[in-house]
């Protein structure tokens, strides 16, 4: 017979999707940010977020850059580095740049990254700013 004890310490008090850890502004480290931005896909994601007037975008809006699994990995790397903020909203993850935090920590850095990424060729099959989700639709 199996005897299992259930205690409050074993229970979740909130769904795991309500909180995703992000580094505090003072804990954002330049070497980690540079490593996160060293990947072409992540660099394109940052440029697209900046090009989209920094409105929240969903992970699904980046599917032209890779598979869902690959994008989840890239989003996690950018979030853990402190470059983006990921806010769960139902079944979606809303992504925004942490422009103010990065500007406070490394003045002018993000603008330089975005300016250099502007020369990076992006997939031309879709206008990223005209997507329904970019305008607040579903």
């Amino acid at each position: 017979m199996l005897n299992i004890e259930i205690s409050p310490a074993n229970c979740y008090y909130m769904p795991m999707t309500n909180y995703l850890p992000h580094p505090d502004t003072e804990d954002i480290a330049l070497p980690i940010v540079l490593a996160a931005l060293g990947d072409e896909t992540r660099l394109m994601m940052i440029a697209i977020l900046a090009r989209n007037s920094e409105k929240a975008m969903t992970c699904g809006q980046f599917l032209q850059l890779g598979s869902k699994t690959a994008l989840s990995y890239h989003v996690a790397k950018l979030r853990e580095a402190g470059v983006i903020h990921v806010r769960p909203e139902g079944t979606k993850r809303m992504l925004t740049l942490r422009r103010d935090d990065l500007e406070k920590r490394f003045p002018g850095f993000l603008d330089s990254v975005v300016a250099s990424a502007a020369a990076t060729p992006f997939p031309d099959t879709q206008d990223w700013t005209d997507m329904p989700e970019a305008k607040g639709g579903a």
Side-chain angles (χ1 to χ4, degrees), residues 36-58:
L37 295 175
D39 181 88
E40 184 179 82
T41 300
R42 293 192 285 266
L43 188 60
M44 287 196 299
M45 291 174 75
I46 295 307
I48 292 166
L49 281 167
R51 191 187 291 176
N52 194 37
S53 302
E54 298 184 43
K55 294 177 185 150
M57 296 180 73
T58 64

Side-chain angles (χ1 to χ4, degrees), residues 16-18 20 56-62 72 75 85-96 133:
M16 291 182 0
T17 58
N18 281 349
L20 295 171
M57 296 180 73
T58 64
C59 295
Q61 290 177 276
F62 296 95
S72 292
V75 166
H85 185 266
V86 181
R87 176 178 43 91
E89 189 174 283
T91 59
K92 298 178 184 175
R93 300 286 183 264
M94 304 306 291
L95 313 177
T96 53
E133 292 180 7

Side-chain angles (χ1 to χ4, degrees), residues 74-118:
H74 292 306
V75 166
K77 287 295 185 184
L78 290 169
R79 176 182 51 79
E80 292 165 359
V83 178
I84 64 172
H85 185 266
V86 181
R87 176 178 43 91
E89 189 174 283
T91 59
K92 298 178 184 175
R93 300 286 183 264
M94 304 306 291
L95 313 177
T96 53
L97 285 176
R98 290 182 64 179
R99 181 176 286 281
D100 292 341
D101 293 335
L102 289 168
E103 186 62 28
K104 182 188 282 187
R105 191 79 171 106
F106 313 111
F109 173 74
L110 187 60
D111 289 334
S112 297
V113 169
V114 170
S116 68

